[in-house]
Amino acid sequence: MSHEHPAARVDGNAIAGQVLDILGIDVTALRGTCDGCGSDACLAEAVVELDDSAAIVRCRTCTRTLFTLLHTDERPRLVFGSLRSLSG
């Protein structure tokens, strides 16, 4: 994320299609638990900082990074951070 092109702030619904392409499931209705604060919420409610190179998915309660979706030349990649668990 650069100063010239600041990231857009959106909710978790904005990256649903990209995560579906990687994992093969719609994660927006799944509940994620933050390892930092213990908050449990639907991933659709997460705060996402989105630009051309990445989507940083943050806990709405404490702002820790749950996971990052990197847009690379080869293929998209998920890097997990403070996402303790996902449940249906």
Side-chain angles (χ1 to χ4, degrees), residues 31 34 42 51 79:
R31 299 191 68 79
C34 175
C42 289
D51 73 5
V79 178

Side-chain angles (χ1 to χ4, degrees), residues 8-15 43 46-50 54-58:
R9 288 192 141 200
V10 295
D11 67 21
N13 290 307
I15 61 163
L43 286 182
V47 175
V48 178
E49 296 174 2
L50 182 65
I56 300 172
V57 181
R58 296 187 181 276

